[in-house]
Amino acid sequence: TDATLGIGVLAGFDVELDPLPGRFRLYDVVGCDDRVVPFGGDYEDALIVPDEGLVPLTPIRLNGHALWALVDSGASHSTVTRHGALAAGVTAEDLAKDPVIEDAVCTASGDLMDVCMHVFAELSWADSRYAQVTLPVVDTQEPYDLLIGNDLLLTRRTLISFTTRRIYRALP
């Protein structure tokens, strides 16, 4: 049976995502405010800033511009909001030239939304740099600029630590 665990449950744990065996683990970390990474080897880390709704936001750079990203392990693909794309230096004219895919994104309310596909020169998160990243641009009003979905999140073993307010990602 499939189940969905929301942020209200997950925020009480450290969450490990291990893409190779397809494992998802919850660690009940009580009385520990130190960095505890359950995997060996080198890793990078990034800050998590929970907003008032406990939504895990992390700083990223898109085309060299500082933005805020929502980390969402329940989203299959990463997206950027129109506001985020404009803040990253993309013009409305640039977006108008991009190819449009109809009914490409299903919103949280279940509605289908058309998106334009834009190629960004660079996405930087923690110590990682991704060149020529194609992201769907969604025209929604969100408290974040970019959504990091499983296409980026599950490229490496990851620990989302609500205890230390950091995201740890194994280096390749």
Side-chain angles (χ1 to χ4, degrees), residues 4-145:
T4 301
L5 296 175
I7 194 66
V9 172
L10 294 177
F13 298 91
D14 282 359
V15 180
E16 180 188 3
L17 306 169
D18 192 352
L20 291 181
R23 257 194 317 242
F24 170 87
R25 291 184 180 153
L26 298 177
Y27 294 95
D28 188 8
V29 185
V30 179
C32 181
D33 57 1
D34 227 0
R35 168 174 52 198
V36 179
V37 179
F39 44 86
D42 294 330
Y43 54 85
E44 64 183 6
D45 67 309
L47 177 69
I48 297 176
V49 180
D51 73 359
E52 55 277 351
L54 297 177
V55 173
L57 300 176
T58 187
I60 58 117
R61 295 188 80 73
L62 190 60
N63 286 355
H65 298 268
L67 302 175
W68 286 100
L70 167 70
V71 178
D72 186 353
S73 63
S76 60
H77 290 85
S78 302
T79 60
V80 63
T81 64
R82 181 177 176 83
H83 172 268
L86 296 173
V90 177
T91 66
E93 293 78 23
D94 293 334
L95 294 175
K97 294 176 193 171
D98 288 334
V100 173
I101 300 176
E102 294 181 5
D103 296 338
V105 172
C106 185
T107 66
S109 62
D111 297 325
L112 292 175
M113 178 184 300
D114 298 350
V115 298
C116 65
M117 301 299 290
H118 189 79
V119 179
F120 294 88
E122 183 178 80
L123 170 73
S124 303
W125 181 30
D127 296 329
S128 295
R129 308 281 180 270
Y130 303 92
Q132 298 301 302
V133 178
T134 302
L135 291 171
V137 178
V138 295
D139 197 4
T140 60
Q141 298 298 315
E142 303 293 349
Y144 53 84
D145 303 303

